[in-house]
Structures are given as structure tokens and as C-alpha cells.
Amino acid sequence: MNHVRNGGDLVVESLTALGADCVFGLPGQHALGLFDALRRSPLRYVGLRVENNAGFAADGYARTAETVAPLFLSTGPGALTSLAALQEAAAASVPVLAVSSQIPSAGLGGRRRGYLHELTDQQASFRDIVKSVHTARTASQIPSALAAAWQSALTVPYGPVWVEIPQDVLLAPTTVPPVTGLRAEPRPLDPRPELIAEAALLLAQAERPVILAGGGVVRSGATAELLLLAELLRAPVASTYGAKGAFPWEHPLSLQSWLEDRHTTDLLEDADVLLVVGSGLGELSSNYHTFAPRGRLIQIEADLGKLESNHPAFGIHADARLSLAALYNSIPARQPDGRAEEAAAGLLKRIRARLDEQDLEPERELLAALRRALPDDSPVFFDMTILGYWAWSAFDARRPNTMHSAQGAGGLGYGFPAALGAAVAAPDRPVLAVSGDGGAVYSIAELATAAQLGLNVTWLIVDDGGYGILREYMTDTFGGATATELTRPDFVRLAESFGVPATLTSPPDLEHDLAAALATPGPSVVVLPALLRMFAPTHLDEARGSGL
């Protein structure tokens, strides 16, 4: 039959013109016009089994490809199921463009016509999460709405956006010409010259400058500028968990990422000028809000809502890369005297000594084995699991934008579907996902996706019999754990039932088995039964000491 172009065609034409090359999603009744149009477009469709996992996969793709990831969703339950994934994208500033169908136009405005999937105000469920909301009520509005959403997603700070199109608009014939000339050009967020001049003066006069690099450094591609500025200032650099790989791990000025250690907090507090770049100094970056700077604080932050949200600072609302480059060009080099390098080495020595006192060699060796098995340029996606929490502090990412986790919003089930999205973006590299057994069950259905698409993802499942970190938290706090023990499947046999090869490993064999799986094209699963412990936190002692 001859096809008559409709609103669905306008969507895929618009996304193609804007630069998209693939779409993630899950079909539903009201969204069939979107999915049918994919047949007539060059866009690759990557279908997941659960909408939330589709959102996580789009997140992983956007982080790895460093561009917008379109996500197609249906109305009502399908749309709402993606909320947790979009919250993670919002917390981590990831440009996911969700395109959702809506009930027919006759039911909009709260008319309660009784359509399937009807919500009084579907947008209201997303407005508190996404960066911007856009609606196309006619076919002619579709290209402009998508261009505005694309531009919003890629304007710093990046973030997820939401576009709604009623079912009848997607299906109705249109006389709008094929979309070819659509453009979206985000404006750069330049620092104001007078702010750079004042910050440069403060840093040039500092005796003990320190830099705290946040995720904004990685997102803006500012790692080279960070290294140049740190060496110019002779300033030690700590990286937040979202900034893994922003600064060379073994550099003499590197403080690494031990932000949950009081020794690091002390050093940051002792700086007479602390430059915070691309971080809002939230809970995890501030050692659970025990950080209390005594010197001058300079904060460069693209998200205006995070600027000085936790501490008074000399605030610069700007892109990290542009700001660091401007600072580098405004500060004279200082002569190295070895004090900064000595301070960094001393800090890391004290941290190692504290860990040595806690009998944590099994955990440290497991993470080291994972690092040895994983190629330097391979992305790794950690779920909310104990080995992932260790990785926040102790893992050497070696390359920027290669280590990711759900530490933005903290939801379970992120690691595996996000790794699938990364594998779509980087098919020439093996990708690793790391989950606990509790988090793995959230996304087990996506083994079917991995098998169907032949995606090059190895999934390491650390099986400790339940929600291990919650077990530890509850035992430490209450003397016992409740609702943390889980009945699990045989993960090896379950993976094999999907046609995915699986291996049961042990701590001594992990490096070998993981390396072998990563070197084998296509999906694979490695299951490690292990009961891991976290290192002792220091923020609890601090809180008790302050009477909190």
C-alpha cells in the first residue's frame, strides 16, 4: 500500500536532520505512529524490554557518544515507567530526548474522555524531573518542538527533555514538506571577564590552592584544561565520583577520589583558596555535608541552581572548559617547590594506612583485578552495589568518560541497560556492567535485548544473597537487617537460557574469567559469589563529634 506521510514521519525526519542516528524505546498503542515511521527512516531502533531500562540505555548511549539520545515512549504507564531513568539523567546532566505519545487531542486539557492510558496532566509527572517540556499539538509544530528540545538538552548544563505529541497528530496525514533544514545550535556559556580576572587574582595569590574537579569537567571536555591549570598553579586535584578520569590518577598532584575519607576533607578545608569546578558540592562530594571550608571558595558551575547552593563562594556561572582555559591564560606560572606534591603523596599514604587497619584486602584486590582485566578505553557502568561504591573512591578510570554509575539519583538497575546503550555507541570496544544480585534482577529481561542485538557487553554480577549495602547499613545502625535477604535465580543458567554464555567465577579466577569474557564478541555474563564489605566511613564520626 502507498504510504501517506504523517506526524510520525515528521518526528523521524526532524531527529535525523538534527543529527540523531539511533532511537531507544518500547512501542505502545498510542505511539505506533512513531514506531511505524522508523521503517522509513535511516534511524537505527534499539528496543528494550522495559521502559525504564530503555531510558537507562539512552543515558548510557548519550554519555558514551557525547550527544543527544532520543527515547520513544508510549502514553501513561509506558511514559511513567521511564521516570527513574530520567531522574538519573537529570541528576547526572545527561542529554536524553524523550518523545512520548499522548492521548488523542480531544482528551487533552483534563477533559477526562476515558481514553486508554489517560492522565489528567501527563506533563506534570515529568516537569519536576526533566530540564524542559515541549508539546506539538499540530504537525507543523513537530519540527520546531524537537529542535527546541534538542537545543535545550545540549545547552549547558545538559539534561533530559520531554516532548509530547498526541496520537491523532502522529497518525494524521500531513502536507508539511519533508524536514531537511532543521538546526539546533546551543549557545556557549562563557564566563564573564571580570569574574575570571578576580578568580585569577585569588588563585595567583594563594599559598595553598587546591582544585576539586566535578562531573562538569568531564561533560564539558575540560580534562586538558584542568591538567594545564593544576600544573600552572602547582595545585593538588581531587576528583568527585562523577569526574572519574578527569585528572590522571597517578599524577604527582592527584588526590584521587577519596571523598568519603576525613583526610581528604581536611586537606580540602585547609586550602586557602579552593577552586571547585563543575560540582555543586552535594552530599557525596562533601563527605555527607561534613565539609566546612576555612579558606576562600571559588565555584565554577554551569547549573545556576547549584551555584553556591551549599556554601558561600565566589561564584562563576559558566562552562567548565571555557572557564579553565580563561583562568590558565590569566595566571602567571608559579615555581614548583614540591609542597603540593608532598601534600598529595602524604594524603594518599594516610588513606592507605587507614584502609590497611580494616582488613579489606579481598575487596581491594577484587577491584584491582577488575581494573587489570578491563581495557583502558572500555566503558564500565556500575550499578548501586558495594563493588560500585568501592569504585567511586578507589577505581582508576584511566580515561575520561569511561566510568559511570547511578550515583546521581541512586536508583537500582542502572548498570546493565546503560552498558547496552554504550555498546550501541561504541561497538568497537567491549563494555562492562557491574551489578549486585539485587540490582541485576531489575534488568534481567534485557539479556534478551543483548542477545537479540548481539551487543558487546560483559555483565559481572556479584551475588551476595541480597541487598548487600542495605544489609550493612542496617546492621551497623540497628544491630540487624530487615528485608534485605533475597531468593535469587541461578544466574548462569538463566543467562544461558537467553543464549548468552555465562561463567561462574571466584575471587582468584575473576581477572582471568573477566578478561576472557571481555575479549569474546557479543554478550556474556560472569557471576561472582562474594560477600563484600565497605570501608569504614568517617562522616559518622564527624557528625557525632558535632552533636548531629
Side-chain angles (χ1 to χ4, degrees):
M1 59 182 294
N2 293 327
H3 170 72
V4 179
R5 288 178 63 255
N6 58 24
D9 291 292
L10 288 174
V11 171
V12 297
E13 291 168 5
S14 298
L15 291 174
T16 301
L18 290 167
D21 57 17
C22 73
V23 169
F24 296 84
L26 196 73
Q29 179 177 326
H30 289 147
L32 294 182
L34 284 174
F35 288 84
D36 176 65
L38 286 172
R39 293 191 297 127
R40 297 178 294 279
S41 86
L43 295 173
R44 176 186 181 185
Y45 171 60
V46 182
L48 282 290
R49 298 318 197 256
V50 182
E51 287 86 354
N52 199 48
N53 293 336
F56 284 144
D59 176 301
Y61 176 91
R63 296 189 195 210
T64 304
E66 299 182 346
T67 189
V68 174
L71 171 66
F72 281 4
L73 299 166
S74 189
T75 321
L80 295 175
T81 303
S82 73
L83 278 168
L86 293 176
Q87 184 187 5
E88 176 58 38
S93 298
V94 180
V96 174
L97 196 166
V99 182
S100 168
S101 59
Q102 246 293 17
I103 59 174
S105 301
L108 297 181
R111 296 177 190 175
R112 305 306 294 269
R113 299 289 294 271
Y115 289 112
L116 184 70
H117 305 331
E118 183 177 272
L119 293 168
T120 303
D121 183 2
Q122 181 173 274
Q123 291 182 6
S125 298
F126 296 86
R127 207 171 274 118
D128 187 46
I129 293 176
V130 298
K131 186 178 177 184
S132 59
V133 171
H134 310 259
T135 302
R137 292 179 178 268
T138 65
S140 63
Q141 294 177 1
I142 288 174
S144 294
L146 288 169
W150 190 283
Q151 182 168 317
S152 174
L154 279 185
T155 298
V156 293
Y158 303 153
V161 293
W162 182 260
V163 180
E164 283 187 354
I165 308 172
Q167 179 191 31
D168 53 317
V169 176
L170 289 171
L171 295 175
T174 181
T175 58
V176 177
V179 181
T180 58
L182 198 61
R183 299 290 182 270
E185 298 179 359
R187 290 180 297 175
L189 186 56
D190 293 292
R192 299 201 331 252
E194 71 274 17
L195 297 179
I196 290 296
E198 180 65 20
L201 181 62
L202 291 171
L203 288 165
Q205 294 175 344
E207 294 183 2
R208 299 182 310 282
V210 178
I211 300 174
L212 177 61
V217 172
V218 175
R219 287 188 292 273
S220 67
T223 56
E225 288 80 2
L226 174 64
L227 178 60
L228 286 171
L229 183 62
E231 292 181 340
L232 181 78
L233 289 171
R234 313 311 305 171
V237 178
S239 299
T240 69
Y241 306 146
K244 303 291 285 190
F247 195 76
W249 190 255
E250 298 294 344
H251 192 284
L253 292 172
S254 176
L255 304 174
Q256 300 182 359
S257 299
W258 292 94
L259 298 185
E260 279 192 71
D261 193 288
R262 188 63 215 177
H263 296 308
T264 300
T265 309
D266 288 340
L267 191 149
L268 296 176
E269 290 178 347
D270 188 55
D272 59 347
V273 178
L274 176 64
L275 174 62
V276 179
V277 189
S279 171
L281 288 173
E283 182 179 41
L284 297 180
S285 301
S286 64
N287 200 0
Y288 298 91
H289 295 300
T290 61
F291 166 68
R294 294 188 292 272
R296 194 70 186 268
L297 182 64
I298 301 170
Q299 185 183 15
I300 299 170
E301 175 56 57
D303 188 337
L304 190 59
K306 295 179 180 177
L307 193 64
E308 297 191 74
S309 61
N310 284 298
H311 297 278
F314 182 79
I316 302 176
H317 180 219
D319 174 77
R321 184 180 62 82
L322 298 175
S323 300
L324 290 174
L327 284 174
Y328 176 79
N329 291 323
S330 304
I331 298 173
R334 67 174 73 204
Q335 289 298 115
D337 57 13
R339 288 189 301 165
E341 292 83 353
E342 183 180 343
L347 170 69
L348 298 178
K349 182 178 180 180
R350 290 191 295 276
I351 291 171
R352 284 192 296 269
R354 192 171 81 85
L355 294 174
D356 290 343
E357 295 173 352
Q358 298 177 50
D359 190 25
L360 295 167
E361 192 56 34
E363 288 79 4
R364 295 161 76 177
E365 174 52 31
L366 276 180
L367 197 61
L370 188 155
R371 175 65 278 175
R372 293 191 298 268
L374 185 69
D376 286 358
D377 62 347
S378 286
V380 55
F381 289 79
F382 287 93
D383 213 330
M384 301 298 285
T385 185
I386 288 181
L387 195 59
Y389 296 170
W390 266 96
W392 290 355
S393 294
F395 188 74
D396 174 8
R398 294 190 184 166
R399 300 284 190 277
N401 199 37
T402 55
M403 177 186 154
H404 307 277
S405 73
Q407 55 99 11
L412 273 174
Y414 171 80
F416 186 54
L420 297 180
V424 175
D428 57 332
R429 288 179 281 168
V431 181
L432 177 63
V434 181
S435 302
D437 55 286
V441 174
Y442 274 62
S443 42
I444 206 75
E446 305 311 335
L447 280 170
T449 301
Q452 181 172 344
L453 301 179
L455 296 176
N456 196 15
V457 176
T458 293
W459 192 7
L460 173 62
I461 301 174
V462 183
D463 185 355
D464 66 1
Y467 299 124
I469 192 64
L470 300 180
R471 177 195 294 134
E472 187 165 312
Y473 287 164
M474 292 188 77
T475 301
D476 290 347
T477 304
F478 306 114
T482 304
T484 60
E485 308 313 300
L486 301 173
T487 297
R488 293 96 62 211
D490 182 327
F491 287 108
V492 170
R493 294 174 61 192
L494 182 59
E496 291 173 343
S497 74
F498 285 98
V500 175
T503 301
L504 183 67
T505 191
S506 63
D509 296 328
L510 175 63
E511 181 180 350
H512 173 271
D513 292 341
L514 197 56
L518 288 163
T520 303
S524 58
V525 170
V526 177
V527 181
L528 173 66
L531 187 63
L532 306 181
R533 295 188 302 126
M534 278 302 295
F535 51 84
T538 60
H539 67 279
L540 298 178
D541 294 335
E542 182 73 8
R544 294 187 190 102
S546 63
L548 296 178

